[in-house]
Amino acid sequence: MKNSWIIPVATLVVGAAGGYISGKGSGSGDSHSAIEESAQRTRSTRPEGSGASETTKKSRGANTEQIARMPGNSARIQALMDFYGGLTPDQLADEATKLDNLPMNERIMASILLFGRWAEVDPTAAMTFSNTMGFAGGFVRPTILQSWASVDPASAAQYYAKNPREFAMMGMMGGGGRGPMGGQDGAGIIASEWARQDPTAAMAWASSLTSGKGQAMSSVISEIAKTDPTKAAEMVKQMDPEDQAGAYRSVAAQYGAKDFVAAKNWIGTLPADEQAAALASAIGGLSNTDPVSATKQVALMEDGDAKDRVINDVMGDLSRQNPQAAADFLKEQTSERAQRDGMRELMPTWTNQNPAAALAYAESFPEGGVRDSAVQAYVWSNNTTAPADLIKAAETIGDEGDRDRTVGIAYMRWMREDATAAKAAVEASTTLSDDAKQRITEGRGMWGGGGPGGGGNGGGGNRRAGRVNGGGN
């Protein structure tokens, strides 16, 4: 069977929503007509049940527990897609109550697939169910909203307008992700999906908003910029001046990836106070395909926040291509902030390829924040070096808090490999506090709970690791 619903849904982390969908909303004028016409078009393209895949045939009659025991991770994911795709809304509701019985990694994937499908066939029920999920409901809300908007953006928009408080936490934490920990609000999610189907109707809706108007319009323009950055650049002129900055950056990123020279010429026509940020975004777009050329453009920029930001973007791309070149580029920078952040992009990749070279590079910096950042990222991302050697490196970190956390994670890894030797080393340590020693030897980690990867506050260790390793951007 065709699973069009998985395309947008699989790009999200697990999410859910709370609320109750309404029927048709009210509107007036051309904007309302465009919205209603788009709604009819998108409803008419909803996938109908058709031929079953081989995986579907093999897994027919199976439940999620049986699917979880199938060999092959890809086969299990496909089987779940087919399984959920063949259920009625009531059956999906029943399966949602079983998610808590799954291990965390399986629960996340199953939730993405289940709520993504449920939102297509009965978004009202999916939203209502999420209200029973407590805090977790806020994390599935973006998934439901996006999947709903992917098939019927007009109805999703109507619901969003009538229940704004249910989506209030979206976009409050900054960044570029979604949900409580991301930066895209509900209006932006709907606008992005709508723009993929009917950019004119999407723009009409976005421009009619009173709250979230700027981000919604920027989301539409960003989608258009992926295929026609020149048109998108013209559309920015329709926005209120105070909302244009974000749109400039979105267009510049897409423009820079397609035609950097044209992008740079366009940026030169923007207001002077917007040019640096837009240029950084354009260089970031260029870096996606040609990080070496991007480094040359960075060298021409004036020092400042925009340059610091794009250095981090370029480091991520260049590190994957050539860690040594990325290391040389980073060492040339004069901004301590850029160097510290860049280490979190460089060190995990380089440590995975050549840990000895990565450590030597980290130790080549004088004592201070840059060296601390490099050593910390080296230890957190190192999965091959003996824990005892990682501890020696971690103990050279100058910042006390970072040193304690980094030493602690190295000891915890040692505990899992050789508890006897690790406990002896912990007891002999002169850098760990008595409380830290007790936590480690009892398996509670440095932050309480079950240690990094476990329950309680230990999860905070993993979240920090994600940031240190460049994965929490």
Side-chain angles (χ1 to χ4, degrees), residues 319-339:
S319 295
R320 287 186 290 273
Q321 186 179 100
N322 188 334
Q324 182 62 62
D328 294 340
F329 168 69
L330 188 60
K331 208 157 197 177
E332 294 172 356
Q333 307 310 313
T334 58
S335 167
E336 179 176 332
R337 172 189 168 189
Q339 287 187 321

Side-chain angles (χ1 to χ4, degrees), residues 15 36 53 62-63 84 99 117 125 139 181 277 319 323 332 389 397 428 465:
E36 287 304 312
S53 67
N63 55 36
Y84 291 141
L99 292 173
R117 177 57 180 167
F139 287 91
M181 297 304 171
S319 295
E332 294 172 356
D389 292 330
I397 295 174

Side-chain angles (χ1 to χ4, degrees), residues 53-83 106:
S53 67
E54 287 301 313
T55 307
T56 303
K57 295 174 183 177
K58 292 178 181 179
S59 60
R60 231 171 226 154
N63 55 36
T64 51
E65 293 181 356
Q66 293 168 326
I67 291 173
R69 293 194 292 271
M70 290 175 59
N73 188 55
S74 297
R76 287 194 293 268
I77 293 174
Q78 183 63 54
L80 274 177
M81 290 167 60
D82 293 331
F83 174 65
E106 295 176 20

Side-chain angles (χ1 to χ4, degrees), residues 8 42 119-120 123 142-157 186 189-195 197:
T42 53
E120 279 201 348
T143 295
I144 296 177
L145 189 61
Q146 186 190 23
S147 187
W148 185 359
S150 74
V151 294
D152 192 352
S155 291
I189 292 174
I190 295 170
S192 292
E193 285 297 327
W194 207 337
Q197 303 164 50

Side-chain angles (χ1 to χ4, degrees), residues 263-332:
K264 198 169 183 179
N265 290 335
W266 169 69
I267 290 169
T269 69
L270 302 182
D273 59 348
E274 300 293 349
Q275 292 185 17
L279 178 59
S281 294
I283 295 174
L286 172 65
S287 179
N288 292 336
T289 56
D290 191 352
V292 174
S293 293
T295 62
K296 297 176 182 177
Q297 295 298 326
V298 170
L300 301 176
M301 294 183 70
E302 294 183 2
D303 291 341
D305 289 343
K307 184 175 181 179
D308 287 352
R309 176 168 62 85
V310 75
I311 287 171
N312 199 50
D313 290 342
V314 173
M315 283 298 299
D317 295 322
L318 188 57
S319 295
R320 287 186 290 273
Q321 186 179 100
N322 188 334
Q324 182 62 62
D328 294 340
F329 168 69
L330 188 60
K331 208 157 197 177
E332 294 172 356

Side-chain angles (χ1 to χ4, degrees), residues 43 64 70 198 200 219 227 249 255 261 276 301 307 385 388:
R43 289 191 194 102
T64 51
M70 290 175 59
D198 189 337
T200 301
S219 295
T227 55
R249 293 193 294 271
Y255 220 155
V261 174
M301 294 183 70
K307 184 175 181 179
T385 301

Side-chain angles (χ1 to χ4, degrees), residues 269-443:
T269 69
L270 302 182
D273 59 348
E274 300 293 349
Q275 292 185 17
L279 178 59
S281 294
I283 295 174
L286 172 65
S287 179
N288 292 336
T289 56
D290 191 352
V292 174
S293 293
T295 62
K296 297 176 182 177
Q297 295 298 326
V298 170
L300 301 176
M301 294 183 70
E302 294 183 2
D303 291 341
D305 289 343
K307 184 175 181 179
D308 287 352
R309 176 168 62 85
V310 75
I311 287 171
N312 199 50
D313 290 342
V314 173
M315 283 298 299
D317 295 322
L318 188 57
S319 295
R320 287 186 290 273
Q321 186 179 100
N322 188 334
Q324 182 62 62
D328 294 340
F329 168 69
L330 188 60
K331 208 157 197 177
E332 294 172 356
Q333 307 310 313
T334 58
S335 167
E336 179 176 332
R337 172 189 168 189
Q339 287 187 321
R340 292 182 66 171
D341 291 346
M343 289 297 181
R344 295 163 186 158
E345 298 292 341
L346 168 66
M347 296 304 288
T349 301
W350 205 0
T351 298
N352 182 58
Q353 295 183 17
N354 190 337
L359 180 59
Y361 176 76
E363 293 178 336
S364 71
F365 286 83
E367 292 184 3
V370 176
R371 187 184 187 282
D372 283 358
S373 181
V375 174
Q376 188 179 18
Y378 165 81
V379 173
W380 279 92
S381 59
N382 194 316
N383 296 315
T384 58
T385 301
D389 292 330
L390 293 180
I391 291 168
K392 291 178 182 178
E395 287 177 339
T396 68
I397 295 174
D399 181 85
E400 182 178 1
D402 287 342
R403 181 176 63 248
D404 289 348
R405 284 184 287 270
T406 308
V407 168
I409 192 62
Y411 272 117
M412 286 304 300
R413 290 181 182 176
W414 200 355
M415 286 286 291
R416 293 171 182 173
E417 293 181 16
D418 186 344
T420 301
K423 287 181 179 179
V426 167
E427 294 302 329
S429 172
T430 59
T431 61
L432 292 172
S433 67
D434 290 341
D435 180 63
K437 290 179 178 181
Q438 184 175 0
R439 287 182 179 279
I440 293 171
T441 55
E442 292 178 356

